[in-house]
Amino acid sequence: MALFVSPHPLSIRLLSRSSDLSLRNPCRFRLSASSSTAAPAAERDKRNGVAILWYKHDLRVDDHPGLVAAAARYRSVVPLYVFDHRLLSRFSDEVLELLLHALSDLKYSLREHSSDLLIRYGSAEKVIQELVKEVNATCLLTEEEVEYDMMKTINAVRETFAKVTSHLERNRDIELWRTPFYDLENLEDLPLSHEDLKKHEIPLVSPFLCPAVPAAQLNLDWGHLPTFDYLKEFINGNTYKLKRSWTSLKETSAENILQKAIVRSETSITGDVQSNHASRKRMDNSVFVTQSGKIVGGGTLAVLNALAAYLRYLEGTARGDWQEVHDRIREAESRDGASFYALFGPALSLGILSRRRVYYEAIKYEKERNAGFLSPFGYSASTVAAAVDAVCSMEWYWLMALKSQKINRGMHSVRIWRWKGHLIQYTIIGDKGPAVLLVHGFGAFLEHFRDNLVGISDGGNRVWAITLLGFGRSEKPNIVYTELMWAELLRDFVIEVVGEPIHLVGNSIGGYVAAIFAGLWPTLAKSLVLMNSAGDVVPGYSSIPLPKERRTSGATWLGARLLLFYLRSSIGQIVRNCYPVKTERADKWLINEMLRSVSFRVCAYHACSSI
């Protein structure tokens, strides 16, 4: 385990993982493989111009490498946020509320550092094209992305930026930055499993403090933040908006649909919970800024304060704002450690806090509890373990997604879709014909259909295959996994990614989830094909109502662990039994991928505990 030294605005120091916290050699911050923020004076003079800093999922000034780089290398910096329909349409109403609070705080924070946040509306490429001309910008800095749609947007911006700056002596390009969690020189060095990553003991990188931001000495209309109602009208009135009837399908959960089917005359359980949240009296300084009152929000300092309260949950508190956080922890702890992502996940997805800042604060508190000592036997506070596990998990799957985009050696190109803050892998083959979606079985992933994708596509179809949340190389967050959650994932994938009704093909547990999806949202499914389908009847269609919570019992936890041990030792033979005619299809690659995919947080444990 590592702890960071006090961060310095322009340098990063790495620590060894030993308990004496001895320093290793400083690591240069890199925007690319060969550039450094601490550029020599001659280089700064040469590049003495205006930089645009495009904010997307990094709504903070704390621990912001792009801001540090821009402040060190450019005479003037113009921070920019673009309300782009394509990006906003992915957000729920609750996340939109959170976004507005975060932007308001970001604007205030930048003003405190002699700058401001420029607010613009429209497509990012058009807005940036006009802004580059207006301020005569020589550089555009933005955070690197792994989502397919975000990468498409960045590429579109890159093309327009290159055209606008073509008159310069040397064409300028977009400079992509990221907030490095591990000191990895090359993505090729990324181990194949998280367990291997921990064995390599790769050093971690400390967070930055906010530098002095060079003010944009320009006569700009900085713009104003919209109200929530105006923002909703802006999203609804654009050409990128999904069909209104389809959008409304996302507003009702699968559980609500089933509850109403059981007792149409009674108020649903979920509705009661929501009304209780809404009727709660909220404190003036509450960090639960959305109408639901379920997630932490506001600005960076407010979220850091909530994090401090979260980490100190076991100590108790007389502070009203911390007690409010403690109350929400008890409600959100659907399983050990699940409360952290339930409360802080959206703020992390919007970049109000960086993952490494959370790690730094958690480890710092752990050392405070133990007189400066980090135990090799685990954390002394369950909240520290929950926070560290969550951000390390998020970072691992982000790096895996980045590697899949840059170094794709698979049989098919892999794309990334973000669902409720989680990274989901999928692929598509074909560009015309009916839409077909393939859903894999238990313990598998999209490559399960590696021999079917091309064949179905050659038959005149466009074929999608997805790796469900908790499986393969899709993210494995610490949540309670249910058949209804996976069905909602398929619903949102069809609406947001496919964009039209689909022919659905499900294998094993994938058939079970696909059948639920088709039953709850029949307008999205043209047909349903089940192959060796598995799974029980959805409780909502029986006389027994769905439970309010899906907690894991001790017996189920132990049974799941024993099952995992058995699967790891016997998976080769199990998979070969699934290919009785062509046993060679259960090759070493497939078995190794299955073993690798369960090495960090195995979906089998969650799935067996909930279904």
Side-chain angles (χ1 to χ4, degrees):
M1 192 54 63
L3 178 65
F4 308 125
V5 295
S6 297
H8 186 278
L10 296 179
S11 66
I12 301 174
R13 289 190 177 273
L14 308 177
L15 295 183
S16 69
R17 293 171 180 264
S18 58
S19 58
D20 63 359
L21 301 178
S22 58
L23 292 177
R24 292 189 179 183
N25 293 330
C27 171
R28 295 184 306 166
F29 165 77
R30 291 180 295 276
L31 279 171
S32 62
S34 60
S35 61
S36 165
T37 53
E43 179 66 14
R44 288 200 302 271
D45 291 340
K46 185 190 297 184
R47 306 191 66 175
N48 194 16
V50 179
I52 297 172
L53 181 63
W54 177 22
Y55 277 94
K56 301 189 304 299
H57 299 133
D58 51 322
L59 308 182
R60 62 185 186 275
V61 297
D62 174 72
D63 193 25
H64 196 293
L67 187 60
V68 172
R73 296 166 57 187
Y74 293 96
R75 171 174 45 85
S76 295
V77 178
V78 181
L80 168 70
Y81 185 85
V82 182
F83 284 96
D84 189 316
H85 309 96
R86 296 163 299 183
L87 310 185
L88 298 173
S89 62
R90 306 168 304 152
F91 295 154
S92 66
D93 285 357
E94 188 171 30
V95 175
L96 287 175
E97 288 183 72
L98 207 66
L99 171 69
L100 291 176
H101 283 283
L103 289 173
S104 176
D105 181 82
L106 177 59
K107 198 170 179 68
Y108 175 81
S109 298
L110 285 168
R111 285 173 175 172
E112 283 195 323
H113 288 83
S114 305
S115 185
D116 205 337
L117 181 65
L118 189 68
I119 301 298
R120 291 291 184 266
Y121 299 83
S123 67
E125 52 268 43
K126 184 175 181 181
V127 167
I128 291 173
Q129 181 181 26
E130 294 172 351
L131 183 60
V132 168
K133 294 178 181 178
E134 183 179 358
V135 303
N136 194 26
T138 56
C139 180
L140 174 67
L141 297 96
T142 194
E143 186 176 22
E144 192 164 19
E145 302 283 354
V146 294
E147 299 167 66
Y148 178 74
D149 286 342
M150 292 298 301
M151 293 171 65
K152 276 179 57 179
T153 301
I154 290 176
N155 286 334
V157 170
R158 174 180 282 116
E159 292 176 3
T160 58
F161 186 80
K163 291 177 182 177
V164 175
T165 59
S166 60
H167 64 283
L168 299 175
E169 293 181 3
R170 188 176 74 180
N171 287 354
R172 302 299 186 187
D173 196 4
I174 296 179
E175 294 190 11
L176 302 177
W177 61 269
R178 67 180 98 135
T179 305
F181 200 87
Y182 301 104
D183 182 30
L184 278 172
E185 292 288 334
N186 195 321
L187 284 174
E188 291 272 13
D189 300 329
L190 185 68
L192 294 178
S193 73
H194 190 265
E195 293 299 322
D196 290 340
L197 180 68
K198 290 190 288 187
K199 292 175 184 176
H200 280 67
E201 295 190 345
I202 300 174
L204 287 90
V205 181
S206 66
F208 292 123
L209 294 178
C210 180
V213 184
Q217 304 297 328
L218 302 162
N219 185 20
L220 291 171
D221 177 8
W222 291 92
H224 300 281
L225 289 173
T227 63
F228 178 79
D229 291 339
Y230 178 86
L231 186 57
K232 288 292 292 182
E233 290 179 9
F234 173 75
I235 297 171
N236 292 338
N238 74 88
T239 57
Y240 298 103
K241 187 179 181 301
L242 300 168
K243 296 178 182 178
R244 187 174 300 277
S245 60
W246 279 30
T247 303
S248 64
L249 295 178
K250 296 174 58 179
E251 296 172 358
T252 305
S253 70
E255 186 169 339
N256 262 348
I257 295 174
L258 295 178
Q259 290 289 352
K260 290 176 182 178
I262 299 170
V263 186
R264 295 185 180 277
S265 61
E266 296 181 6
T267 304
S268 70
I269 293 175
T270 304
D272 288 341
V273 174
Q274 291 173 341
S275 63
N276 288 339
H277 278 295
S279 63
R280 248 188 211 142
K281 184 177 179 181
R282 192 168 300 150
M283 299 179 57
D284 291 338
N285 59 343
S286 174
V287 294
F288 297 93
V289 295
T290 65
Q291 287 297 312
S292 73
K294 294 180 181 178
I295 57 176
V296 170
T300 299
L301 291 180
V303 177
L304 276 172
N305 180 56
L307 177 63
Y310 181 88
L311 295 173
R312 291 160 178 78
Y313 172 65
L314 297 180
E315 297 179 7
T317 181
R319 291 179 51 172
D321 55 339
W322 282 21
Q323 184 59 53
E324 187 181 26
V325 175
H326 292 180
D327 291 341
R328 298 301 197 281
I329 292 174
R330 287 187 284 272
E331 296 171 2
E333 193 76 349
S334 56
R335 47 174 283 107
D336 292 343
S339 58
F340 178 80
Y341 193 87
L343 298 180
F344 293 90
L348 284 166
S349 295
L350 289 176
I352 301 172
L353 279 186
S354 70
R355 294 188 289 270
R356 66 184 183 188
R357 173 60 71 187
V358 172
Y359 181 88
Y360 172 81
E361 296 297 331
I363 297 301
K364 185 173 72 171
Y365 172 65
E366 177 71 8
K367 286 178 62 63
E368 290 173 1
R369 283 176 57 87
N370 296 285
F373 176 72
L374 287 177
S375 170
F377 303 107
Y379 300 109
S380 60
S382 58
T383 50
V384 172
V388 169
D389 181 60
V391 294
C392 287
S393 172
M394 293 173 70
E395 180 68 15
W396 165 249
Y397 285 103
W398 192 92
L399 285 173
M400 290 284 288
L402 182 64
K403 184 176 181 179
S404 72
Q405 304 307 296
K406 291 181 175 293
I407 313 169
N408 189 1
R409 292 173 179 162
M411 301 174 184
H412 308 287
S413 62
V414 173
R415 297 180 181 180
I416 304 298
W417 169 57
R418 190 181 293 272
W419 182 69
K420 296 186 177 181
H422 308 305
L423 301 178
I424 308 294
Q425 289 199 342
Y426 72 97
T427 190
I428 175 175
I429 303 292
D431 55 8
K432 60 182 179 180
V436 179
L437 175 59
L438 308 178
V439 186
H440 62 80
F442 184 78
F445 29 81
L446 66 86
E447 286 86 357
H448 187 192
F449 298 104
R450 64 195 188 279
D451 292 334
N452 309 109
L453 288 164
V454 175
I456 298 175
S457 174
D458 289 345
N461 302 286
R462 286 168 297 145
V463 189
W464 280 265
I466 187 172
T467 299
L468 296 174
L469 189 71
F471 291 92
R473 299 195 183 192
S474 287
E475 201 165 341
K476 299 175 178 61
N478 184 6
I479 62 175
V480 175
Y481 289 77
T482 70
E483 61 279 88
L484 298 184
M485 178 273 292
W486 282 316
E488 289 179 356
L489 183 150
L490 292 183
R491 175 201 64 192
D492 294 348
F493 182 80
V494 171
I495 292 175
E496 295 180 17
V497 180
V498 180
E500 64 181 88
I502 46 91
H503 298 278
L504 198 57
V505 180
N507 175 62
S508 186
I509 196 175
Y512 175 45
V513 175
I516 297 171
F517 161 83
L520 296 179
W521 300 284
T523 57
L524 300 180
K526 286 185 174 180
S527 67
L528 177 64
V529 178
L530 302 180
M531 301 184 298
N532 192 30
S533 186
D536 204 347
V537 176
V538 181
Y541 282 127
S542 70
S543 59
I544 303 174
L546 281 169
K548 180 179 176 182
E549 297 177 346
R550 305 287 290 270
R551 293 182 180 271
T552 304
S553 67
T556 303
W557 183 92
L558 178 60
R561 290 292 172 180
L562 293 174
L563 175 61
L564 291 183
F565 177 78
Y566 169 72
L567 288 174
R568 282 174 172 160
S569 61
S570 310
I571 192 168
Q573 186 58 47
I574 293 173
V575 174
R576 280 188 286 272
N577 290 339
C578 294
Y579 293 84
V581 178
K582 295 185 178 181
T583 56
E584 68 275 8
R585 297 309 302 131
D587 54 19
K588 184 178 180 180
W589 176 86
L590 180 64
I591 293 171
N592 286 341
E593 278 296 296
M594 286 185 168
L595 286 171
R596 187 213 57 76
S597 69
V598 301
S599 63
F600 185 36
R601 182 184 289 120
V602 189
C603 62
Y605 164 55
H606 302 288
C608 290
S609 67
S610 303
I611 296 176

